[in-house]
Amino acid sequence: MVYTSEHPIFYVTTDIVVLTLMDGVLSALAVRRDEDPHAGELALPGGFVREGEDLDAAARRRLADETGVEVDELVLEQLRTYGAPDRDPTRGRVVSVAHLSVIPAPLAASPGARTREALWLPVAELPGTLAFDHNQILDDAIERTKAKLEYTALATSFLDAEFTLAELRSVYESIWGSELDPGNFQRKIRNSEDFVEPTGQTRRSPSGRGRPAELFRARKRRTEQLASPLTRVAL
Amino acid sequence: MVYTSEHPIFYVTTDIVVLTLMDGVLSALAVRRDEDPHAGELALPGGFVREGEDLDAAARRRLADETGVEVDELVLEQLRTYGAPDRDPTRGRVVSVAHLSVIPAPLAASPGARTREALWLPVAELPGTLAFDHNQILDDAIERTKAKLEYTALATSFLDAEFTLAELRSVYESIWGSELDPGNFQRKIRNSEDFVEPTGQTRRSPSGRGRPAELFRARKRRTEQLASPLTRVAL
DNA sequence: TCAAAAGTGTTTTTTTTACACCCATGC
DNA sequence: GCATGGGTGTAAAAAAAACACTTTTGA
């Protein structure tokens, strides 16, 4: 491999914003850094991309390594690349390709084997607590997530494979911070081509009371475009 | 500056997809490469990011250098980063931060001073003519552009500072490939908060015939979110 | 005065919203 | 039976679509 030195040298990292709903609270995964730039501070999981490694493969690997989050069909999309010249002055020119991932709460609650100090922080309680430009990255990720709920099947990524429409509705309500009419929500989802499909089974509500709800599964594999957007259903 | 060599070394480039409408035909700017990987082939304008240079500054500089396109308030947004390990095997690991830019046709038609061989190609006539992974980048850019017409003021970026609503409508029609009802379009645009504002002047149509149209200017600086989306106005 | 292009009005259709009501279950 | 949450019906309101019609200009 030929490295001509006529061009400046960069290091490339990936940072991953992993979002989940912990009891209805939008939360992001953070790790406490033990290496020196910003050692001891909180940051997004991430790290250097290896030789011959794809950008999203690096994100997947670091996520598994640092936090134990490892899924076969993990929703992971590129968010944006952050490359301000002074964003990591101690280590040279470091460009970070940020990724966004959304996982179901139960998965989030079971830390894997190699988990160091990884913790879920409600995004509302993160005014400026993260190292580097990670607060900016987190903000961008949240904005993108809110927007994508409207025109993709992303909401289902916060839930397990099978879910009730009430659970799905509560994803929207939690993230948008507004209440949705249950009846109208029901119709919109059922009428959206290719969004969800019934499993034929039902599940009783956690309290045990009330009519059992039908179970659905996502038809689109999680974050694809919807035929028609959902338009923030009103109260 | 300290370069530890424990992490792999990357080169970072920017590639820019510049779109315009040449007589109603969506066209992208391409350059003929004179350096060796893929010398003689067509490619997107772009090049290596310099030391201490911001990613979008690099895109702006390369665009001006290679093609003579230089605007004070150039619409330029990050599209996506392409970093497959084998995307440029001859030069090592090269990651490209692709950008998207939209400029008015007249500006496109006047090549600047340092223009090498830069040419506008109708995007429909580019099945797979570009070097590297630039066909993929172009496809992504076009998809993004089509989508953004719906919910941002991006359409105005294809036009000069002052334009008629018929001109604006023809931007949508050209890019979406469908006809729009002139009356309904008029109303939608006028009723969209913060989209356009009248200049108070009028302009006769190119043929000279017909009632002169009111002139408008973009209120939102070109690619920001609209209060309410435009929903592909129908025939 | 006629054709052409801009712009307005008006009706029909569709979608969204609000909210009443019925259904299925556990206690 | 009754409280609770799931799910359906329906009428009012708003938005979108279709299209007729008026306006302003040059030839």
Side-chain angles (χ1 to χ4, degrees), chain B residues 186-205:
Chain B
Q186 190 107 200
R187 248 181 310 247
K188 281 213 110 172
I189 301 299
R190 291 186 126 104
N191 293 341
S192 290
E193 220 34 58
D194 292 333
F195 190 4
V196 297
E197 64 185 6
T199 65
Q201 310 208 232
T202 60
R203 173 196 292 164
R204 282 185 286 288
S205 85

Side-chain angles (χ1 to χ4, degrees), chain A residues 132-146:
Chain A
F132 304 108
D133 49 5
H134 289 188
N135 290 298
Q136 178 65 52
I137 298 177
L138 180 63
D139 284 350
D140 292 348
I142 292 166
E143 190 189 332
R144 174 95 132 245
T145 301
K146 285 183 179 172

Side-chain angles (χ1 to χ4, degrees), chain B residues 29-233:
Chain B
L29 194 58
V31 296
R32 201 165 287 283
R33 291 184 55 80
D34 47 26
E35 289 183 19
D36 198 13
H38 299 276
E41 292 180 43
L42 289 175
L44 295 174
F48 290 88
V49 178
R50 289 188 180 157
E51 209 151 327
E53 185 179 46
D54 239 317
L55 299 176
D56 65 308
R60 236 171 268 272
R61 171 177 56 79
R62 297 270 17 187
L63 189 56
D65 277 10
E66 291 198 60
T67 68
V69 169
E70 193 163 8
V71 202
D72 45 345
E73 212 178 320
L74 180 72
V75 170
L76 185 77
E77 67 167 60
Q78 193 178 302
L79 180 62
R80 194 189 146 76
T81 295
Y82 299 81
D86 60 343
R87 63 181 295 278
D88 186 358
T90 63
R91 294 192 288 191
R93 186 76 191 268
V94 180
V95 161
S96 174
V97 183
H99 289 254
L100 168 64
S101 180
V102 169
I103 64 173
L107 207 159
S110 69
R114 281 166 294 180
T115 306
R116 269 193 306 122
E117 193 180 1
L119 57 168
W120 290 94
L121 296 174
V123 298
E125 297 172 20
L126 292 173
T129 51
L130 300 179
F132 304 109
D133 49 5
H134 289 188
N135 290 297
Q136 178 65 52
I137 299 177
L138 179 63
D139 285 350
D140 291 348
I142 292 166
E143 190 189 333
R144 174 94 133 245
T145 301
K146 284 183 179 172
K148 278 211 147 187
L149 284 191
E150 249 174 297
Y151 59 91
T152 71
L154 181 61
T156 60
S157 304
F158 285 94
L159 301 173
D160 281 319
E162 304 201 341
F163 49 84
T164 69
L165 293 187
E167 288 165 351
L168 184 61
R169 175 163 49 85
S170 101
V171 171
Y172 285 89
E173 291 178 331
S174 300
I175 296 175
W176 283 346
S178 56
E179 304 226 319
L180 273 41
D181 181 284
N184 293 337
F185 183 82
Q186 190 107 200
R187 248 181 310 247
K188 281 213 110 172
I189 301 299
R190 291 186 126 104
N191 293 341
S192 290
E193 220 34 58
D194 292 333
F195 190 4
V196 297
E197 64 185 6
T199 65
Q201 310 208 232
T202 60
R203 173 196 292 164
R204 282 185 286 288
S205 85
S207 66
R209 268 184 287 284
R211 172 175 172 178
E214 283 184 56
L215 282 174
F216 292 82
R217 72 172 69 89
R219 188 188 282 276
K220 303 229 118 178
R221 272 328 305 157
R222 305 238 139 168
T223 184
E224 286 158 53
Q225 212 81 15
L226 251 36
S228 53
L230 286 183
T231 67
R232 275 173 151 82
V233 195

Side-chain angles (χ1 to χ4, degrees), chain A residues 82-183:
Chain A
Y82 299 80
D86 60 344
R87 64 181 293 281
D88 186 358
T90 62
R91 295 192 288 190
R93 186 75 190 268
V94 180
V95 162
S96 174
V97 183
H99 289 256
L100 169 63
S101 179
V102 170
I103 64 173
L107 208 160
S110 69
R114 281 167 294 179
T115 307
R116 267 195 305 123
E117 192 180 3
L119 58 168
W120 290 94
L121 296 174
V123 299
E125 297 172 20
L126 292 173
T129 52
L130 299 180
F132 304 108
D133 49 5
H134 289 188
N135 290 298
Q136 178 65 52
I137 298 177
L138 180 63
D139 284 350
D140 292 348
I142 292 166
E143 190 189 332
R144 174 95 132 245
T145 301
K146 285 183 179 172
K148 278 211 147 189
L149 285 190
E150 248 173 299
Y151 59 92
T152 71
L154 181 61
T156 60
S157 304
F158 285 96
L159 301 173
D160 281 320
E162 303 200 343
F163 49 85
T164 69
L165 293 188
E167 288 165 351
L168 183 61
R169 176 164 48 86
S170 99
V171 170
Y172 286 89
E173 292 178 330
S174 300
I175 295 175
W176 283 346
S178 56
E179 305 226 318
L180 272 40
D181 181 286

